[in-house]
Amino acid sequence: MRIDVIANTNARAYRQEPSLLSSVQKISAARAHVHPTQHVDELEAICRSIADRGTDLVVLSGGDGSFMNGVTALARVFEPRKLPRIALLPTGTVGTVARNFGLNGPPLDLLQRLLSRPDDFSTTSNMTLRVRQTLGAETSERIGFMFGTGLVARFMDIYYADGALGYPGAARIAARVFFDSFYGGPYARRVLTPMPCTIEANGTRIEGDRWSLICAAAIRKLGIGMNITYRAGEDFERVHLIASRLPPYALGPQAVLVLLGKPIQGAGHVDDLYTSFVVRFAPEGPYVLDGDNLRASEVHVSAGPPLDLVSLPG
C-alpha cells in the first residue's frame, strides 16, 4: 500500500514538541512517505507529485484548517479523478473534524496504529462543503467541513485572542456567553448581536438583513457538544443551513437545545437542506471555515466532492 503523510509543522503539536516530526518520520519509515510543510503555498506541488505518482492513502497531519487546506489542494490536483482515501491525524488545537471519525488522542499512537494495524480502521464516505468567496475583484475556492459567520466568527475572534487554548478554552468562552446572555451582558452582546448580512438560498432571498448565526457543516458534531447541524450528511448534494435572527437574550439560552441535538427555535429561524446558499456582506465581513478566520464580500456555499475518510469505530 502506498501511503503519504502531509505534516503541517506549524500546527501546535509540532511547535510545542520539536521532535514530533522526526518521530513521525521514524514511525513512517519504509511504510509511508512524509512531506513536511510550513506554508499553505507548498501544498499544491506536494499534492500534484502525489497524484502523478499515485497513492492509496493520504494522512493529513495538523489542525482543522490544515485538513481543509490539504483537502482543497488534493481536490484541485486530482480533479476529475477520484480522490484517494484520506486520514485526519489531529496535531492542532482542537481537531473537531477528526473527532467526528473517532480519530482523537496522541498522534504518534494513532499513526503507529494506522500504519501497523490498518484493519482496526474502516472507511466512511462523507460529504464536504465547497466554499467560494469573493473579496473585491478576487475569487477563491476551498473544500472544507464547517462554515459559519455571525456568532461563529465573533466566537473565534475571542478564542484566538485568548490564545487558542483548545477545548477547555472554547468551553469557557461558551459558558460565559451562555450565562451572560440571560441578563443581556456585554460579553454576550459582543458575540451574539446580529451581524449585517443577507442570505440567498436556492436562488431565493431569505427575509432579514441582520443575522446572529449562520452555520453549515458536512459533519454533525461541531465541538464542545454543539450538535447544531444534526442533518449534515443526510443528502450529499444538499447542505444543512442553520440561521437565526434572534437577539442575544433569546439566542443564548437556546444552547441547551443545541447540546441535545435539537433544532433552535424562534421567529425567523432557518433550518433546512439547500443545494446552495450565498451570504453577502456590505461591503465585507468575517466568516470561519474549519477554524480559519477569513473575510469576504460574498460567500457561496454548496456541496463539495465526497471523501472516503478513514474512521475508527467507537
Side-chain angles (χ1 to χ4, degrees):
M1 177 183 289
R2 292 166 297 183
I3 301 176
D4 292 273
V5 179
I6 302 177
N8 174 14
T9 57
N10 285 320
R12 169 164 290 191
Y14 288 100
R15 288 186 283 107
Q16 291 183 335
E17 187 179 343
S19 64
L20 179 59
L21 178 60
S22 61
S23 298
V24 167
Q25 292 169 326
K26 183 176 180 180
I27 290 173
S28 302
R31 296 188 289 189
H33 187 76
V34 180
H35 309 266
T37 67
Q38 291 187 318
H39 196 278
V40 67
D41 290 344
E42 300 173 69
L43 281 171
E44 184 155 345
I46 290 172
C47 291
R48 191 169 300 282
S49 68
I50 291 172
D52 290 343
R53 189 199 69 220
T55 188
D56 299 299
L57 173 65
V58 176
V59 181
L60 299 175
S61 175
D64 290 323
S66 303
F67 301 152
M68 177 264 293
N69 286 317
V71 169
T72 297
L74 287 168
R76 187 178 297 125
V77 302
F78 271 89
E79 192 176 17
R81 293 170 292 172
K82 179 179 174 59
L83 287 163
R85 281 199 308 153
I86 295 172
L88 306 175
L89 186 68
T91 50
T93 59
V94 178
T96 298
V97 180
R99 287 172 183 263
N100 276 260
F101 302 95
L103 299 176
N104 184 38
L108 293 178
D109 292 349
L110 279 174
L111 183 61
Q112 176 68 40
R113 187 174 174 185
L114 178 63
L115 296 180
S116 61
R117 296 161 54 190
D119 290 343
D120 287 354
F121 299 80
S122 58
T123 300
T124 301
S125 183
N126 202 83
M127 71 174 296
T128 61
L129 304 180
R130 188 183 302 274
V131 179
R132 186 175 69 249
Q133 76 160 51
T134 301
L135 182 60
E138 297 184 1
T139 62
S140 59
E141 183 175 283
R142 297 174 176 88
I143 305 297
F145 299 89
M146 304 176 292
F147 165 87
T149 188
L151 76 85
V152 179
R154 289 167 171 157
F155 183 97
M156 293 305 295
D157 281 343
I158 295 175
Y159 174 77
Y160 286 119
D162 284 353
L165 300 178
Y167 264 80
R172 284 195 295 270
I173 297 169
R176 184 175 176 186
V177 170
F178 174 70
F179 289 111
D180 207 42
S181 67
F182 283 94
Y183 58 89
Y187 198 82
R189 292 199 306 271
R190 177 182 172 187
V191 176
L192 302 178
T193 297
M195 180 178 291
C197 60
T198 63
I199 306 173
E200 179 184 298
N202 286 357
T204 301
R205 164 78 181 272
I206 297 176
E207 182 181 355
D209 57 8
R210 297 181 69 87
W211 295 87
S212 47
L213 168 66
I214 302 175
C215 178
I219 53 177
R220 297 190 178 188
K221 299 177 182 179
L222 304 187
I224 56 173
M226 295 293 142
N227 303 324
I228 189 169
T229 49
Y230 61 96
R231 296 182 67 187
E234 183 177 311
D235 182 343
F236 279 24
E237 295 184 357
R238 294 190 296 164
V239 177
H240 188 199
L241 170 64
I242 301 290
S244 176
R245 303 199 307 266
L246 291 177
Y249 68 86
L251 183 61
Q254 303 256 355
V256 175
L257 295 175
V258 173
L259 289 170
L260 295 173
K262 295 183 178 181
I264 293 176
Q265 301 175 3
H269 183 59
V270 177
D271 182 344
D272 209 345
L273 300 179
Y274 294 95
T275 303
S276 65
F277 67 89
V278 182
V279 178
R280 294 186 175 92
F281 303 94
E284 64 181 67
Y287 75 95
V288 177
L289 183 61
D290 294 346
D292 280 10
N293 289 348
L294 303 163
R295 295 190 68 83
S297 53
E298 178 178 299
V299 186
H300 183 282
V301 181
S302 59
L307 299 180
D308 289 335
L309 293 171
V310 168
S311 62
L312 188 58

